[in-house]
């Protein structure tokens, strides 16, 4: 974003309607001039705020690699994807000369670039990666419901700033955007929870959190255009439609592990289409800047519906096709294969790709030297060996022994301990394979 992302997404001198230019490469001349999208804030502030939109979009898309993707190729893909997918999408609707901006598309805070961009691209990414092992999906469930609830509450709070800040000032339009975001999220969560209750007879936290996200997503394109009463409808419909959309991945056999398509793409589509019905010029003009936009069907501006629909089709098609091609190309490069091995998938990405565990319930490794043996610089002579360890990964090593040379010398001259009998310690994957469920008594 610093080098060329902002310039490609918002350069005001580009005239092609598709993507910006390199006028602001490295934030050149991005200082106190009015921002290209609003005269209310300096461009330097605007560029940083918009960077957070790009960051959160990339973070959502990274969910496509869940439990089977390699980190390094995914990082390469995200860097390139932001350049050739996100930046054009942002320029279309927010750039001064973007085709969607000139055509009159209403997208307040990123229904196209952020939500459809991440959701449809996530579907394409998951399709290229392929499905996880069916064995790994037999007991697929949330890792920690408490963390799901905590994360959703933080996300909900942040989303108020995400949408409210898109009014670019402390004005009534910002406040109404915050109200709309709150209402849509609440009704989305309630409707999703009710739909799940009809099947499970439980009021699930994960269901409520999922519906909340659906409502927040739908509010993203609509919150700065509609009255609060319309957000009741938008949130409720988003919760219902996104709930049923979670079944699409089973129909098309694409392993969208985090429901990026069902939550973000479908939620963004719902918000964009309903904006065509409920957008009000009165609400739009509350920032005292956008005073000439016609609104939607509530103001008899009938053609807004096909404008919004065409924009949805364009963003969906571009995101899926370009992301799929980009993923295929990167996957074909030696050393950048997107997917990990079957054995790595069985052992888990935490162990294989990251080497750290969110919750180490089964202590496979307590000391640093209990895993793969570090390189022995003594060439097998038996002298005391002090491995180089990463900061924060010194489990079982007394810190003073690294700093006190006298203690090291004493340790070096200690007689060798008698070897203990060796036992085979099963790995988690071996325990899983060797465990047989007890049969019920006759």
């Amino acid at each position: 974003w610093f080098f060329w992302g902002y310039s490609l997404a918002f350069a005001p001198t580009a005239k092609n309607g598709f993507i910006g230019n390199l006028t602001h490469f490295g934030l050149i001349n991005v200082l106190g001039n009015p921002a290209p999208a609003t005269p209310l804030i300096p461009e330097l502030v605007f560029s940083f705020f918009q960077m957070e939109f790009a960051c959160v979009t990339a973070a959502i898309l990274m969910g496509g690699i869940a439990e089977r993707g390699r980190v390094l190729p995914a990082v390469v893909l995200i860097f390139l994807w932001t350049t050739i997918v996100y930046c054009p999408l942002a320029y279309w609707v927010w750039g001064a000369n973007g085709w969607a901006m000139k055509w009159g598309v209403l997208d307040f805070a990123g229904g196209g670039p952020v939500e459809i961009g991440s959701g449809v691209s996530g579907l394409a990414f998951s399709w290229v990666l392929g499905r996880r092992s069916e064995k790994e999906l037999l007991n697929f469930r949330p890792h920690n419901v408490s963390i799901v609830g905590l994360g959703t509450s933080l996300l909900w709070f942040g989303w108020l700033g995400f949408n409210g800040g898109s009014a670019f000032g402390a004005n009534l339009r910002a406040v109404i955007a915050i109200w709309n975001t709150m209402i849509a999220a609440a009704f989305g969560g309630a409707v999703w929870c009710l739909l799940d209750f009809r099947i499970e007879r439980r009021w699930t936290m994960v269901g409520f959190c999922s519906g909340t996200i659906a409502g927040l997503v739908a509010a993203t394109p609509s919150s700065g255009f509609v009255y609060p009463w319309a957000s009741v409808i938008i949130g409720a419909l988003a919760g219902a439609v996104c709930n049923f959309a979670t079944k699409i991945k089973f129909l098309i056999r694409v392993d969208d592990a985090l429901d990026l398509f069902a939550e973000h793409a479908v939620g963004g589509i719902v918000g964009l289409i309903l904006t065509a019905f409920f957008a009000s010029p009165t609400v739009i003009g509350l920032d005292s800047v956008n005073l000439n936009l016609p609104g939607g069907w509530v103001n008899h501006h009938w053609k807004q519906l096909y404008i919004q629909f065409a924009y949805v089709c364009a963003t969906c098609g571009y995101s899926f096709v370009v992301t799929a091609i980009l993923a295929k190309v990167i996957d074909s490069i030696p050393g950048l294969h997107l997917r990990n091995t079957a054995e790595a998938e069985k052992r888990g990405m935490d162990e294989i790709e990251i080497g750290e565990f969110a919750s180490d319930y089964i202590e496979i490794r307590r000391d640093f030297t209990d895993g793969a043996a570090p390189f022995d610089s003594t060439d097998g002579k038996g002298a005391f060996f002090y491995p180089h360890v990463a900061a924060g990964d010194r489990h079982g090593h007394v810190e003073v022994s690294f700093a006190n040379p006298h203690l090291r010398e004493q340790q070096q001259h200690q007689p060798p301990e008698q070897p203990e009998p060796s036992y085979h310690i099963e790995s988690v994957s071996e325990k899983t394979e060797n465990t047989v469920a007890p049969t019920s008594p006759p």
Side-chain angles (χ1 to χ4, degrees), residues 284-302:
I284 299 171
L286 290 175
D287 60 3
S288 301
V289 175
N290 297 283
L291 303 175
N292 298 316
L293 295 180
W297 279 28
V298 292
N299 286 87
H300 310 293
H301 187 232
W302 311 115

Side-chain angles (χ1 to χ4, degrees), residues 80-280:
L80 297 175
W81 181 89
T82 304
T83 301
I84 66 175
V85 177
Y86 180 82
C87 288
L89 292 179
Y91 185 79
W92 291 359
V93 72
W94 293 328
N97 295 305
W99 68 263
M101 167 71 81
K102 288 189 171 182
W103 201 29
V105 171
L106 300 178
D107 187 353
F108 183 63
V114 178
E115 308 302 351
I116 292 178
S118 63
V120 173
S121 296
L123 184 71
F125 195 6
S126 300
W127 173 63
V128 173
L129 273 174
R131 294 175 58 80
R132 286 167 289 176
S133 166
E134 298 298 328
K135 181 179 179 181
E136 303 302 324
L137 295 174
L138 291 177
N139 193 29
F140 183 61
R141 54 185 174 175
H143 159 255
N144 189 317
V145 176
S146 297
I147 297 299
V148 172
L150 175 62
T152 303
S153 64
L154 294 173
L155 193 62
W156 192 338
F157 178 76
W159 221 301
L160 300 178
F162 186 93
N163 288 347
S166 293
F168 305 118
N171 50 56
L172 282 177
R173 193 182 186 193
V175 178
I176 206 165
I178 292 172
W179 261 111
N180 285 329
T181 305
M182 196 75 182
I183 292 170
F187 277 86
V191 168
W192 189 302
C193 215
L194 284 169
L195 290 173
D196 280 0
F197 181 82
R198 85 189 195 281
I199 297 174
E200 300 178 2
R201 299 302 180 198
R202 298 289 188 276
W203 306 102
T204 65
M205 174 59 74
V206 173
F208 178 75
C209 290
S210 299
T212 296
I213 301 301
L216 291 169
V217 169
T220 298
S222 65
S223 58
F225 296 123
V226 304
Y227 282 107
W229 62 263
S231 287
V232 175
I233 303 171
I234 293 171
L237 280 177
V241 175
C242 291
N243 181 289
F244 290 115
T246 59
K247 310 301 185 291
I248 294 176
K249 64 183 182 182
F250 300 109
L251 297 176
I252 62 178
R253 299 285 294 172
V254 174
D255 187 10
D256 183 6
L258 299 185
D259 285 321
L260 302 183
F261 178 78
E263 289 271 19
H264 293 276
V266 174
I269 292 170
V270 169
L272 284 166
I273 295 300
L274 293 182
T275 298
F277 292 96
F278 302 125
S280 167

Side-chain angles (χ1 to χ4, degrees), residues 194-415:
L194 284 169
L195 290 173
D196 280 0
F197 181 82
R198 85 189 195 281
I199 297 174
E200 300 178 2
R201 299 302 180 198
R202 298 289 188 276
W203 306 102
T204 65
M205 174 59 74
V206 173
F208 178 75
C209 290
S210 299
T212 296
I213 301 301
L216 291 169
V217 169
T220 298
S222 65
S223 58
F225 296 123
V226 304
Y227 282 107
W229 62 263
S231 287
V232 175
I233 303 171
I234 293 171
L237 280 177
V241 175
C242 291
N243 181 289
F244 290 115
T246 59
K247 310 301 185 291
I248 294 176
K249 64 183 182 182
F250 300 109
L251 297 176
I252 62 178
R253 299 285 294 172
V254 174
D255 187 10
D256 183 6
L258 299 185
D259 285 321
L260 302 183
F261 178 78
E263 289 271 19
H264 293 276
V266 174
I269 292 170
V270 169
L272 284 166
I273 295 300
L274 293 182
T275 298
F277 292 96
F278 302 125
S280 167
T282 304
V283 173
I284 299 171
L286 290 175
D287 60 3
S288 301
V289 175
N290 297 283
L291 303 175
N292 298 316
L293 295 180
W297 279 28
V298 292
N299 286 87
H300 310 293
H301 187 232
W302 311 115
K303 70 176 184 179
Q304 192 64 46
L305 180 59
Y306 77 73
I307 291 175
Q308 298 293 105
F309 180 76
Y311 173 66
V312 166
C313 293
T315 52
C316 287
Y318 182 81
S319 298
F320 188 92
V321 172
V322 178
T323 303
I325 293 173
L326 180 61
K328 286 283 190 180
V329 170
I330 292 176
D331 190 51
S332 66
I333 299 174
L336 290 181
H337 300 303
L338 294 174
R339 181 155 183 164
N340 232 312
T341 63
E343 177 62 25
E345 183 181 341
K346 182 169 66 174
R347 293 171 62 184
M349 297 301 105
D350 283 356
E351 179 180 349
I352 299 301
E353 287 288 312
I354 302 172
E356 296 168 329
F357 301 86
S359 301
D360 194 0
Y361 294 118
I362 302 173
E363 293 188 358
I364 305 173
R365 182 183 75 174
R366 182 75 282 165
D367 295 341
F368 176 77
T369 52
D370 283 347
F375 176 71
D376 186 354
S377 60
T378 65
D379 296 326
K381 297 177 182 177
F384 190 86
F385 170 54
Y386 291 93
H388 293 287
V389 297
D393 201 7
R394 294 180 176 178
H395 304 301
H397 293 284
V398 182
E399 291 288 341
V400 69
S401 66
F402 286 87
N404 190 334
H406 299 292
L407 181 57
R408 289 203 301 268
E409 185 177 352
Q410 294 174 10
Q411 291 174 326
Q412 288 177 355
H413 290 89
Q414 287 178 353

